[in-house]
Amino acid sequence: MTSSPVITSVGLLTALGAGRQAVTDAWREGQMGEPLADGAAAGGRRSVAVKARGLFPEQRGMLRRMDRLSRLISVSAALARDDGQGLGDPKELGLAVGTDLGPLEATWNFLTRLREKGPALANPMDFPNLVPNAGAGYVGILLGLQGPSQTFCQHELCGDEAIAWAADGVRTGWFPGALAGGAEEFGEVRARGQLATRCSDEEQVLGEGSALLLVESQERAEARQARPLARHLGFRAETVKLRSPLLIEFHGDALERLVSRTLDSVGARPEDVGAVLASPARQPEIAEGVERALGRSVPATDHDVRFGTFASDGALRVGLAALLLSDRSLPVNANGELRDGPLALVVSVARGGGLCASLLGEVEA
Amino acid sequence: MTVDRPVAVTGFGVVTPIGIGRTSFAEGLRSGACGVAPITLFDASAYRSQVAAEVSGDVIAAARESSLASGITVSRRYGRAAQFATAAVAEALHHAGLHAEDLGDSETGLALGGSTAGTLEAEAVMLEVDDGEGFWREVSNLQLLLAPVGSTADILAAGMGLGGPVTTISTACSSATNAIGQAMRWIRSGRCTRVIAGGADSLTRLTHAGFNSLSLVDRERPLPFDARRDGMVIGEGAAFFVLEDEARARARGAQLHGRVLGYGAIAEAHHLVQPRGDGDGAARAMGLALADAGVETDRVDYINAHGTATPHNDAAEGRGIVSVLGRRSQAVPVSSTKSQVGHLLGASGAVELAACVVAMNEGFLPPTAGWAERDPEIPLEDFVAGGARPAQVEHCLSNSFAFGGNDASLCLGRV
């Protein structure tokens, strides 16, 4: 397993705070995220723009042109840049962003203007922001990332998948490292749409945020004396046939098979998994499927009520898993449970029948 | 452990403005047909440009034989983009001699590139109501569920009963090329033995208005690489391929129609909309695809260009080709299929790769329809002007460049 890619920086912009230290402190203290109803997610709506200006003081013009989702992605990219030992040579890095809904609020606003003012007055400054890869495009420019760039949009798997793409690219020698993760914005259009289609319910805490991690080869990390937080050991995605292809269902048996295959694919033992970060966390079918695969109950995070949920939050959970693996004293949940093994399992279930599992491991001292 | 396996094309299917199905598409390419016409899908009278390359004809009827043979239902229920996608997938599976019942294992995946999904249907509601509240009263749950770009893959995966990984990549105009590249990587690494890969997009008011607002749309027809070019014309359609581990494909007796040999992808990190003027991004993507394929530049017989017909893109791409091929760039034919089918946005790379497969298997070069006037800013010689022409193509490149500086190129080889 020594050749597995390592995670060396995390850029977290969440309802619990911005940056590794703030998020870790709030998590350790068992804090809950700021309620979104107050517009305080990710430190408050206005403060995302303020943060962005502080992190990219030379690029205020570009930041003004961005939509909100692109700003979230840019801020978390800068937080990853400023975390740990930074990014190293950015030109050789790839970039992958997961986002299910993309720039939804900006798209709504563009269509509203189209309806009210007509096509002749469509704003040419707005349209480029409406492609899902706009955020990745801006980050590439801001940080000078010139490797392959992907934007993944397969619902709740997209954040996990972006990081797995980066790990695979490093593992196969395609590129030496990549910034990868996911982001989603919160807004009225998303909230109303999710409630109308029952993709969420009134008990679910809808969240927003962005998490970008630096995934790189161990050799690159060593060369720049960057301390790895965790290893990305493996990833597997499968699909289960649903009664309705556009909805979400939970199949514990399918998840059990997926987790077992993921462990087998990297030669890992179920008893070594010491923490589970699954979403949606409170679905009993998910917990039971994972428990059957692991043969026991493993401490699980309560991230969904503390960060809120969003489709690409698999990236946030992979980042949290890396932090749990780098610091054994960091509790897995607000109950203060500690991880009891050297591996962390991140599981996501998506609309359309997608399931995925990522396996992360401790880095040997 | 990294496993490296050759990736074969064992089937493909297309829905395009110049023909639905492989045979019609090939005939359209050969004849130099142009699918650009006045827009009928919505009232375009208030737009700067009122033309587009729409898919005309009955897609469901055209796909009937493939649908029955492959077990894939093609219907209007899930919207226009999904209808194109299911029809193209049904044809691709039929062509490959596969049935939906063959695809339930965990080693068969789906990689889709797209950008619009159910936007056409949802925006129709949005633009017909008086205010935002009206939208929420009128819109159906199905229209909401179809709006996210990942929904097209949901419908395909369910229709095929797929058991392996499913992904949607949305990097604007290079989406499908990146999806096919990802599929190739899945097979090469041993993650999948077979992947259904391609792209689908429909015309929408949103994209038409957006490109109009940027003054990137021609009012008549696209003229790639021509001195008179004045912008793209938006098209719609889909193309999907069955890509297989070549050894497995041969073992089941499948006919091979080409090999996906290499994939290059880069970020320009330059500008969100405009390419680098020196073509460096385009050159890097092409160079990486050739290096990945292990194909020397003197073995490239044809380039299917991104060729949008916008002033900046075509000049930059021309310089990029010169940078990669050197003096040989003057001898290698370069054409743009967008001159015939328009710009299919997220699906463009898939349809253009299908044009390459046709070129290799049918022995002709698709033309740059309408090309007549040389532009001194584009340092290339041969645009396949004046119509399709016979040629034996052993290796070719298919380019896709996108907003966000997402450039990608695929290298295809003849079997």
Side-chain angles (χ1 to χ4, degrees):
Chain A
M1 291 187 198
T2 51
S3 62
S4 300
V6 292
I7 294 167
T8 50
S9 292
V10 293
L12 306 179
L13 180 58
T14 78
L16 280 183
R20 191 206 300 196
Q21 193 64 49
V23 173
T24 305
D25 290 348
W27 184 265
R28 193 185 299 280
E29 290 164 12
Q31 287 182 19
M32 302 291 283
E34 297 289 330
L36 288 162
D38 296 337
R45 282 179 173 268
R46 269 184 301 175
S47 80
V48 173
V50 172
K51 266 188 203 359
R53 286 200 294 272
L55 291 160
F56 297 106
E58 308 298 321
Q59 298 287 355
R60 293 189 172 200
M62 188 183 295
L63 296 169
R64 263 199 304 277
R65 290 195 291 276
M66 285 182 193
D67 67 296
R68 178 172 165 73
L69 179 66
S70 294
R71 280 200 201 108
L72 290 171
I73 296 167
S74 298
V75 168
S76 63
L79 292 168
R81 174 197 65 189
D82 298 342
D83 186 50
Q85 294 298 307
L87 302 179
D89 179 6
K91 283 185 188 163
E92 63 187 17
L93 294 179
L95 173 64
V97 174
T99 177
D100 176 30
L101 299 174
L104 185 60
E105 301 294 325
T107 303
W108 175 272
N109 293 338
F110 186 88
L111 285 170
T112 299
R113 188 177 166 93
L114 196 59
R115 182 184 64 221
E116 293 174 352
K117 310 278 187 188
L121 292 177
N123 188 346
M125 301 298 282
D126 291 341
F127 180 62
N129 288 336
L130 306 189
V131 293
N133 61 318
Y138 281 123
V139 168
I141 297 166
L142 288 167
L143 299 182
L145 310 181
Q146 295 186 22
S149 177
Q150 296 289 51
T151 297
F152 293 96
C153 300
Q154 201 59 43
H155 309 315
E156 288 80 359
L157 306 192
C158 63
D160 318 57
E161 193 183 9
I163 293 170
W165 173 88
D168 182 63
V170 171
R171 198 176 278 120
T172 56
W174 189 14
F175 41 73
L179 204 54
E184 222 73 57
E185 64 178 330
F186 179 80
E188 187 186 349
V189 182
R190 177 182 148 209
R192 293 185 72 164
Q194 286 196 248
L195 284 171
T197 54
R198 297 183 184 164
C199 285
S200 67
D201 57 48
E202 287 171 7
E203 291 176 20
Q204 190 173 341
V205 183
L206 295 180
E208 66 174 348
S210 182
L212 287 179
L213 319 180
L214 178 59
V215 182
E216 60 184 323
S217 67
Q218 180 160 337
E219 295 73 22
R220 186 177 191 271
E222 283 173 358
R224 38 185 220 98
Q225 298 182 313
R227 189 177 82 83
L229 300 169
R231 288 188 187 287
H232 192 284
L233 299 175
F235 171 82
R236 192 171 174 90
E238 295 181 2
T239 307
V240 59
K241 189 158 187 173
L242 306 182
R243 285 186 292 273
S244 171
L246 295 167
L247 297 178
I248 191 164
E249 292 174 15
F250 305 102
H251 295 263
D253 291 348
L255 200 56
E256 180 186 354
R257 283 194 298 276
L258 173 74
V259 171
S260 297
R261 286 172 177 161
T262 306
L263 290 165
D264 288 346
S265 69
V266 299
R269 303 179 308 171
E271 56 268 36
D272 287 337
V273 176
V276 172
L277 302 91
S279 184
R282 62 200 168 83
Q283 281 295 333
E285 293 89 345
I286 292 181
E288 288 163 15
V290 172
E291 193 172 321
R292 284 199 300 272
L294 300 182
R296 68 197 165 95
S297 175
V298 173
T301 51
D302 48 1
H303 56 86
D304 53 341
V305 294
R306 296 169 72 186
F307 288 122
T309 63
F310 50 96
S312 56
D313 67 8
L316 175 55
R317 283 178 283 122
V318 173
L320 182 58
L323 297 178
L324 289 169
L325 290 166
S326 70
D327 179 356
R328 198 150 203 149
S329 72
L330 193 64
V332 173
N333 48 45
N335 294 331
E337 284 188 278
L338 297 175
R339 70 178 167 90
D340 59 4
L343 306 181
L345 177 70
V346 181
V347 171
S348 296
V349 177
R351 275 180 55 189
L355 316 164
C356 74
S358 304
L359 198 63
L360 280 79
E362 272 183 357
V363 177
E364 324 65 60
Chain B
M1 188 179 79
T2 300
V3 182
D4 221 328
R5 300 179 165 104
V7 177
V9 178
T10 58
F12 70 103
V14 289
V15 174
T16 79
I18 60 167
I20 302 167
R22 292 186 318 278
T23 306
S24 299
F25 177 57
E27 283 169 8
L29 288 174
R30 195 190 295 271
S31 68
C34 179
V36 176
I39 291 171
T40 64
L41 275 178
F42 51 85
D43 176 6
S45 57
Y47 293 79
R48 177 177 178 267
S49 165
Q50 291 153 22
V51 297
E54 294 178 359
V55 171
S56 58
D58 188 338
V59 175
I60 295 172
R64 187 165 293 127
E65 186 186 347
S66 299
S67 177
L68 287 170
S70 65
I72 304 294
T73 303
V74 182
S75 92
R76 292 184 183 84
R77 173 176 160 75
Y78 294 122
R80 194 165 173 86
Q83 183 186 336
F84 296 160
T86 46
V89 166
E91 188 186 22
L93 292 176
H94 184 204
H95 191 210
L98 293 169
H99 189 275
E101 289 173 356
D102 303 326
L103 310 175
D105 63 276
S106 66
E107 293 184 348
T108 298
L110 169 67
L112 182 145
S115 61
T116 62
T119 301
L120 178 72
E121 290 76 19
E123 73 182 9
V125 180
M126 175 73 177
L127 296 175
E128 284 167 12
V129 296
D130 293 331
D131 55 24
E133 282 306 311
F135 173 81
W136 296 108
R137 282 194 302 273
E138 299 297 327
V139 73
S140 71
N141 281 358
L142 182 61
Q143 285 165 330
L144 287 174
L145 288 165
L146 289 170
V149 67
S151 66
T152 308
D154 295 340
I155 293 156
L156 291 178
M160 291 187 277
L162 217 64
V166 172
T167 192
T168 295
I169 290 177
S170 192
T171 52
C173 307
S174 58
S175 301
T177 298
N178 279 317
I180 294 164
Q182 175 75 342
M184 183 200 80
R185 289 183 54 77
W186 278 349
I187 294 172
R188 271 188 181 175
S189 69
R191 172 62 192 89
C192 291
T193 55
R194 180 190 295 141
V195 183
I196 317 305
D201 261 344
S202 69
L203 180 66
T204 69
R205 299 160 187 85
L206 178 80
T207 47
H208 192 62
F211 284 110
N212 270 268
S213 75
L214 290 166
S215 299
L216 291 176
V217 184
D218 198 295
R219 293 167 204 255
E220 295 175 14
R221 63 176 292 180
L223 293 170
F225 300 116
D226 190 295
R228 301 164 298 160
R229 69 189 183 281
D230 191 32
M232 68 176 79
V233 166
I234 299 177
E236 60 176 2
F240 279 85
F241 301 84
V242 177
L243 303 181
E244 296 191 66
D245 170 356
E246 184 171 327
R248 297 281 285 263
R250 286 186 185 279
R252 72 173 183 88
Q255 191 180 347
L256 311 188
H257 307 287
R259 290 191 184 96
V260 184
L261 298 173
Y263 165 51
I266 62 100
E268 292 203 0
H270 165 69
H271 190 278
L272 199 63
V273 178
Q274 285 188 5
R276 278 179 59 127
D278 61 5
D280 175 71
R284 284 199 293 132
M286 286 183 272
L288 288 168
L290 289 171
D292 189 39
V295 171
E296 300 292 333
T297 53
D298 60 0
R299 292 167 65 203
V300 177
D301 304 311
Y302 166 62
I303 296 177
N304 190 297
H306 186 54
T308 53
T310 57
H312 285 300
N313 175 83
D314 291 6
E317 186 170 13
R319 293 180 193 120
I321 290 170
V322 170
S323 172
V324 172
L325 299 188
R327 272 188 293 181
R328 194 169 146 67
S329 61
Q330 304 309 301
V332 174
V334 176
S335 71
S336 169
T337 300
K338 290 184 179 74
S339 64
Q340 298 187 263
V341 301
H343 191 337
L344 277 69
L345 306 180
S348 60
V351 169
E352 291 158 18
L353 191 71
C356 292
V357 177
V358 169
M360 285 187 162
N361 287 285
E362 305 216 1
F364 73 89
L365 297 175
T368 302
W371 189 93
E373 274 186 41
R374 186 167 300 283
D375 178 355
E377 292 295 310
I378 303 175
L380 300 174
E381 183 61 31
D382 182 359
F383 298 103
V384 195
R389 68 166 183 257
Q392 181 159 322
V393 178
E394 296 292 332
H395 298 98
C396 67
L397 287 168
S398 179
N399 290 340
S400 299
F401 310 136
F403 274 13
N406 277 84
D407 296 349
S409 185
L410 290 165
C411 179
L412 196 71
R414 188 162 178 266
V415 175

